[in-house]
Structures are given as structure tokens and as C-alpha cells.
Amino acid sequence: MDAVYDHLVTVLTDKFEVDAKEIRPDITLTALELDSLAVVELYVTLQEHWGVPLEEDDSAAELTLEQVAQAVATQLSGADRGGAPR
């Protein structure tokens, strides 16, 4: 999950211009002041980079960075086992 989390941090700082000092695993996307459109864009960016589907819904903005990274890692582990990612 470290590579996923590190990439998530890079996307947040580079693409969404989030201050790196604010980023920590337990902070939510809402607390980083990402609006719903930015959350969707973040999910699309992560899906394109990792090649896995992610379920984005109204509660996605309330997920912590650790939870978002874990969702990607879970999808990646499913894909590694040959299973169909969700």
C-alpha cells in the first residue's frame, strides 16, 4: 500500500495543489477541501494510473487518505490474483 499512498500524495500535491503539510493518512478528502468534482477527478486519475475500478459515491469525500489508498491496494491485489477487480 505504500506505493499507492505515495502516489496518492503526489497526485494531491501536484494536480490538486494540496499543501503537503496538510497531508496525513487520517485526513479526509473533505478536510483537504476537495469538492465533489475534485474527488471524482481524483478517483478517475487513480483508476487510470492503476488500471483498477474504484467505486466513487457520495461518501467518498469522507474517506481518509489511508482508506482511499487501501481501496486501490485491495483492487490491485484482486487483479494480481487474476480475479476480476470490482
Side-chain angles (χ1 to χ4, degrees):
M1 185 172 89
D2 291 339
V4 174
Y5 182 80
D6 290 346
H7 180 71
L8 177 58
V9 170
T10 299
V11 170
L12 288 169
T13 56
D14 292 355
K15 187 168 186 169
F16 295 94
E17 300 179 354
V18 174
D19 186 345
K21 294 176 192 171
E22 296 181 35
I23 296 176
R24 57 181 200 274
D26 64 334
I27 197 164
T28 65
L29 298 175
T30 298
L32 292 175
E33 299 182 3
L34 295 179
D35 63 19
S36 59
L37 182 59
V39 171
V40 170
E41 188 175 350
L42 173 64
Y43 269 61
V44 169
T45 300
L46 294 173
Q47 289 179 75
E48 289 176 352
H49 180 81
W50 295 105
V52 294
L54 296 172
E55 293 185 30
E56 184 277 321
D57 59 24
D58 292 340
S59 64
E62 296 306 320
L63 295 177
T64 65
L65 298 189
E66 184 174 31
Q67 290 171 321
V68 173
Q70 184 62 50
V72 173
T74 298
Q75 290 296 324
L76 287 171
S77 68
D80 288 346
R81 289 190 306 257
R86 292 180 357 149

